Amino acid sequence: MCTKGERNVDLFNDLVVSGVKTVIVMASDMGLAFDEHCTLEQKCLQIAQQSGMRVLGPNSLGILLLGRTLMLHFLL
């Protein structure tokens, strides 16, 4: 997922409904407040934990598996 942080709470909920089990997050502004109790990152993590979804990120550069010749990354 490569988005602005403000979109991610809704997107995480959509991913849960769709049955997604793993997500790579490349998002900006995840440290901003979701509400008076938590940040966007904390809220997304809460959603992921409740559903059993695994999360890599935010601010991940992706995954590199040299033995499998697999490289999933984000370039600017």
Side-chain angles (χ1 to χ4, degrees), residues 24-72:
I24 299 173
V25 180
M26 294 177 256
S28 62
D29 303 328
M30 291 294 286
L32 296 177
F34 171 71
D35 59 22
E36 61 274 2
H37 303 291
C38 64
T39 64
L40 292 168
E41 182 175 354
Q42 291 167 328
K43 182 62 179 178
C44 288
L45 182 58
Q46 178 186 36
I47 293 166
Q49 288 173 334
Q50 290 172 347
S51 70
M53 184 173 20
R54 298 180 70 167
V55 179
L56 176 63
N59 300 325
S60 169
L61 295 177
I63 297 175
L64 177 63
L65 299 172
L66 296 175
R68 297 274 191 175
T69 318
L70 174 68
M71 184 173 21
L72 306 170

